[in-house]
Amino acid sequence: MDRRETIKTLVIGGVASGFVLHGCMPGEEKPKQVAPENKDNGKGYGRTPEEVARDAELKSKTFFTEHEMATIAVLADIIIPADETSGSATDAGVPEFIEFIVKDIPEHQVPLRGGLMWLDRESSQRYNKQFVSCSEEERKAVIEDIAYPEEVKPEYYQGSVFFSRIRNLVATGFYTSQIGIKDLGYVGNTPNVWDGVPQAVLDKHGMAYDEKMLQQSIKPEERGEIMDWENYKI
């Protein structure tokens, strides 16, 4: 099972907990449940005026630098790359989601910024360049050393704590996006087509539909249309 499938499995198992992954962040408290991605103007999905105003205020500010956002984008696509069925984390707008979350939940700011600095320092020590400038193989070598908290060496513990935090945020951002929900196969409450009581059941109880009612009332092709009973006669 690849990394993407592992994360998807964890998310499916943790749907009831609000899409936030737990247990991968050694020594840290569980992150707060976060709001799903929203790209509209804050209207039309039950937001109060105060919530709309707060969202607008948060979106008007910037926390991460361009370099930090570029690093987050690279990390996000390492954690959830595109595959044959779905787009990547950046396709789902995960970096923008994380930018919003750190403003909405400031406790993420210092750990994430510190973690990004750790990543660049580690890359500089190994390859004499920042993480985003490393080759794919070089990036993966760094990530492999911090991606598995239970196996991490003591000298990489700080990086491991950072990676667990951003992995949780990437998974949360992706699987609360339209792309992520589709990737999970979750369809929600979908209306079906009612085509009447099965004929076998009607026969068993000696019942039958009135042909006129069948012609006017049970038409799956007209599902969604509002019935006009004005001219119906019994």
Side-chain angles (χ1 to χ4, degrees):
M1 182 179 289
D2 61 22
R3 182 179 297 124
R4 182 194 182 97
E5 287 300 315
T6 300
I7 292 174
K8 183 191 296 185
T9 301
L10 290 172
V11 169
I12 292 173
V15 165
S17 62
F19 289 104
V20 180
L21 300 181
H22 304 299
C24 297
M25 197 182 302
E28 293 196 354
E29 296 181 353
K30 298 176 180 178
K32 295 181 180 178
Q33 183 171 336
V34 295
E37 176 189 18
N38 175 60
K39 295 183 178 180
D40 67 14
N41 61 2
K43 299 179 180 179
Y45 66 108
R47 308 290 280 178
T48 67
E50 291 78 12
E51 290 172 330
V52 171
R54 187 170 187 274
D55 283 358
E57 180 187 0
L58 293 178
K59 291 176 180 177
S60 70
K61 300 176 181 177
T62 300
F63 177 73
F64 289 120
T65 66
E66 289 186 14
H67 172 70
E68 289 170 334
M69 285 294 286
T71 305
I72 290 172
V74 170
L75 275 172
D77 281 354
I78 289 175
I79 295 169
I80 302 182
D83 64 9
E84 64 277 6
T85 62
S86 178
S88 68
T90 54
D91 292 331
V94 166
E96 292 78 13
F97 168 82
I98 294 176
E99 164 72 14
F100 179 85
I101 287 301
V102 299
K103 292 179 290 187
D104 187 41
I105 309 175
E107 68 188 51
H108 285 302
Q109 294 180 1
V110 172
L112 285 183
R113 176 156 283 164
L116 293 171
M117 292 174 65
W118 181 93
L119 204 60
D120 274 342
R121 186 184 63 185
E122 183 66 24
S123 300
S124 296
Q125 290 176 346
R126 295 192 190 192
Y127 310 114
N128 197 32
K129 48 190 171 185
Q130 294 178 319
F131 185 74
V132 294
S133 299
C134 290
S135 67
E136 183 176 353
E137 290 72 20
E138 291 168 341
R139 293 169 182 167
K140 288 185 177 180
V142 175
I143 296 303
E144 287 292 325
D145 285 335
I146 61 176
Y148 307 100
E150 296 179 355
E151 303 173 5
V152 71
K153 297 178 181 177
E155 59 266 34
Y156 297 130
Y157 178 78
Q158 185 178 357
S160 173
V161 171
F162 159 70
F163 188 76
S164 293
R165 178 184 291 269
I166 199 163
R167 175 172 49 199
N168 287 349
L169 290 172
V170 168
T172 301
F174 182 80
Y175 286 109
T176 53
S177 71
Q178 187 174 12
I179 291 177
I181 293 292
K182 184 177 180 181
D183 190 47
L184 286 174
Y186 178 71
V187 297
N189 297 323
T190 303
N192 56 15
V193 178
W194 186 75
D195 57 359
V197 178
Q199 188 62 47
V201 175
L202 292 173
D203 293 342
K204 179 179 179 181
H205 295 278
M207 305 291 290
Y209 278 111
D210 175 80
E211 286 300 323
K212 181 183 292 185
M213 176 174 282
L214 284 176
Q215 294 175 6
Q216 298 190 22
S217 305
I218 303 179
K219 295 182 177 179
E221 67 276 12
E222 296 179 358
R223 180 167 61 97
E225 296 182 9
I226 298 176
M227 181 63 188
D228 180 8
W229 295 95
E230 185 174 349
N231 298 318
Y232 181 78
K233 297 180 181 179
I234 298 177

